[in-house]
Amino acid sequence: MPRMKKPMTVAQATELGRAQLSRTFFMRDFLYSDIAAIHGLSNLPSDPELAIAAGTRLCEDILEPLQDAFGRIAIRSAYRSAEVNAFGHAKGHNCASNERNAAHHIWDMRDAGGHMGATACIVVPGFVNRFDAPGDWRRLAWWIHDHLPYATMEFFPVRFAFNIGWHERPVRAIFSHVPDSRGYLTKPGMDNHDGDHSAAWEGILP
């Protein structure tokens, strides 16, 4: 069977958007980009099959269980084409380089080690509508750390939005950009990385 090619027509883009990645998520949910919308760029994958494969793992292994636990997940930013990401990096739109974002926001590009992965920036309304003290993001981070096979997490100040990724070789590291708590919450080698963190997240489930 021939490989899927980058969509070049509305019909092809529509068909790609219909690809069901998990029980409640479709590829269309992850294709919107503010950068692409403002600057007239294409945010469609050059390798749709790789993007679908990586996105499926992100959705089935991480986003669906998170949504089951906390309610609807809001997608802030997810898939970026190499073109969109390179433009965003060059213009200072909070995008890492294509090399660093391969197998992260660029779902259809393997990383330097040949591994696939996918990242989405999300908000969890079922959490942030109830917990908004400066350090509360740690409670959600520790719950995810103890329950889900995430690769990396990166938390931001506004509504505790965070990047969460699936990767074939997960790092299992959590970084914060939240004021007064910038830096690693945990990563391999830190004393707090292993064990039970239930005291930190007890009582956060809706």
Side-chain angles (χ1 to χ4, degrees):
M1 179 179 292
R3 291 185 61 82
M4 293 175 63
K5 296 181 180 180
K6 179 177 180 176
M8 300 301 292
T9 67
V10 171
Q12 291 170 346
T14 299
E15 191 64 23
L16 172 66
R18 288 173 175 155
Q20 189 166 1
L21 304 183
S22 63
R23 179 169 51 88
T24 66
F25 291 105
F26 292 79
M27 190 67 189
R28 181 65 181 79
D29 300 324
F30 300 92
L31 295 178
Y32 178 78
S33 162
D34 291 338
I35 295 172
I38 292 297
H39 295 284
L41 303 174
S42 171
N43 197 47
L44 296 172
S46 295
D47 187 343
E49 291 183 6
L50 179 57
I52 289 170
T56 296
R57 295 272 54 83
L58 173 67
C59 292
E60 290 191 348
D61 297 352
I62 296 175
L63 299 186
E64 289 286 5
L66 189 60
Q67 187 165 254
D68 287 343
F70 291 92
R72 177 183 172 272
I73 301 300
I75 309 298
R76 291 284 303 123
S77 173
Y79 170 79
R80 294 186 201 138
S81 68
E83 176 189 15
V84 168
N85 191 80
F87 183 91
H89 178 66
K91 297 298 184 180
H93 295 316
N94 297 318
C95 299
S97 67
N98 281 16
E99 181 181 15
R100 289 183 58 194
N101 255 334
H104 294 286
H105 278 294
I106 309 177
W107 298 6
D108 59 326
M109 181 184 293
R110 294 181 181 271
D111 65 18
H115 305 106
M116 75 174 182
T119 291
C121 183
I122 66 173
V123 171
V124 182
F127 176 80
V128 300
N129 290 342
R130 295 180 300 122
F131 300 99
D132 60 2
D136 278 348
W137 66 272
R138 297 185 183 94
R139 304 178 74 176
L140 180 59
W142 282 126
W143 186 92
I144 295 171
H145 183 78
D146 284 355
H147 291 86
L148 302 178
Y150 75 98
T152 57
M153 284 188 278
E154 186 176 6
F155 280 79
F156 304 101
V158 180
R159 311 252 333 139
F160 297 147
F162 62 104
N163 288 337
I164 187 165
W166 175 91
H167 193 272
E168 286 184 301
R169 295 190 66 179
V171 176
R172 302 280 294 174
I174 305 172
F175 189 85
S176 167
H177 297 278
V178 179
D180 300 325
S181 58
R182 180 177 172 84
Y184 282 99
L185 175 65
T186 192
K187 62 180 178 177
M190 290 180 65
D191 291 342
N192 65 356
H193 195 260
D194 298 320
D196 178 14
H197 307 93
S198 57
W201 53 257
E202 186 176 6
I204 71 166
L205 292 177

